[in-house]
Amino acid sequence: MNADEELLEDLLAGEHRALARVISKIENRSSGYRDLVSELYAHTGDADVIGVTGSPGAGKSTLVDKLAETYRDRGETVGVIAIDPSSPFTGGAVLGDRIRMASTVGDMDVFVRSMSARGTLGGLSTATADAVKAMDAFGKDKIIIETVGAGQNEIDIVRTADTVAVLVPPGSGDEIQTLKAGILEIADVFVVNKADRDGADRTVQELRDMIQLDEGGGMAGGGGHHSQEVIDAHDDWDPEDDVDDADADAETWTTPIVETVATRGEGVDDLLEAFADHRQYLVDSGEHAEQVRGRYAEEIRTLLREDVHAMLEDRLAAAGGVDDLAEAVRQGETDPYSIADDVLAPVETCLEDLEIDDG
């Protein structure tokens, strides 16, 4: 048995040190990490994955801490992935979220891991999705992902989380309008945190009005944000293959609004109930199966893009490097389109000859 096989065996046996080492290999893209992740897939699928996002200052870290604490009180194990701001030059994650999550420090059944955003849109990278698999295979019952910031790019969290909670702090209608441009559409549950502050009632009412206006759309009354994305990703998928008539008749999901005061733990039980209700909806409606298919399809596309890109970079290097080719264009000896055609020609020839083995 080699070192990576031993590492995998230790992870599956419930050793937190092995889990930490596996996630480090994943994040650093160390030698052998792909084989490790490949082996994880057979052991995944049992954890509930919850995404927590929202504008800076909404109290995400405090709420995540309380969620983890409450799940532990209920006897469930928790993994937390805090996507931290990082330097684009070093890729190093700061440890602020580890420090802020004070009430679960020392409880190894709450495993907290900070990971750098690495410049990826929305703060979620392929490495983060793989880290979720490691925690799932390890046996964590609940996995919570806290993302950086807010905005249209936060849609990335959907690919990893089963349920997405969007935190909206009490404030003016401008806050709602700003968020509405993107992040609100990915919410399965709205959380008005710091609900003891002025403006909370108005924020709740504005969210409620927005949800009602959106009846029949993707956010409320339309099955949540996931279904349309998955349908878009799988135009050729026939859901009748896997969903029976009873599932097809399941009622649609209307995004609930939960008020919390995370610093005092108020509303946390209500929020966990909303998460559980959404999970049940996903299962009953058959949408969870669609989610998983969509997630795997996106992973396949991402890996193919990354691998093909790396292969082409190697081929360009063998041809003298991009700089030499660019100089040839500058000298008028060729043009970018001809270079691209020349580089891709052997790849296209191989693809034409390739018979894809789907077995």
Side-chain angles (χ1 to χ4, degrees), residues 71-219:
Y71 277 131
R72 286 296 298 123
D73 288 343
R74 297 182 179 187
E76 296 181 287
T77 59
V78 183
V80 177
I81 300 176
I83 309 299
D84 282 345
S86 64
S87 162
F89 302 107
T90 66
V94 299
L95 303 180
D97 284 292
R98 284 177 178 164
I99 296 167
R100 287 198 299 269
M101 294 189 62
S103 68
T104 53
V105 169
D107 181 358
M108 283 306 291
D109 284 322
V110 177
F111 182 90
V112 181
R113 179 64 180 241
S114 294
M115 297 184 72
S116 62
R118 296 187 178 277
T120 305
L121 297 181
L124 277 182
S125 62
T126 304
T128 306
D130 290 344
V132 168
K133 293 180 187 68
M135 289 188 176
D136 189 355
F138 179 91
K140 292 299 182 185
D141 299 312
K142 308 291 180 181
I143 301 171
I144 304 172
I145 305 167
E146 179 196 338
T147 65
V148 168
Q152 182 64 43
N153 295 332
E154 226 64 28
I155 202 74
D156 280 1
I157 196 175
V158 172
R159 296 178 184 141
T160 304
D162 302 316
T163 299
V164 178
V166 172
L167 270 65
V168 183
S172 67
D174 293 341
E175 181 80 21
I176 301 293
Q177 292 304 315
T178 301
L179 288 173
K180 190 176 181 181
I183 198 169
L184 295 185
E185 283 80 357
I186 71 170
D188 296 306
V189 179
F190 286 123
V191 183
V192 178
N193 192 31
K194 306 180 180 180
D196 54 342
R197 296 191 178 181
D198 291 341
D201 291 343
R202 185 172 69 174
T203 299
V204 170
Q205 187 57 51
E206 288 171 346
L207 286 169
R208 187 172 290 123
D209 292 345
M210 187 187 64
I211 291 170
Q212 290 173 350
L213 282 173
D214 200 58
E215 285 289 343
M219 178 163 45

Side-chain angles (χ1 to χ4, degrees), residues 232-251:
D232 290 343
H234 303 278
D235 294 333
D236 59 346
W237 188 266
D238 182 1
E240 293 181 2
D241 291 343
D242 284 356
V243 182
D244 61 27
D245 292 339
D247 289 336
D249 291 336
E251 65 182 55

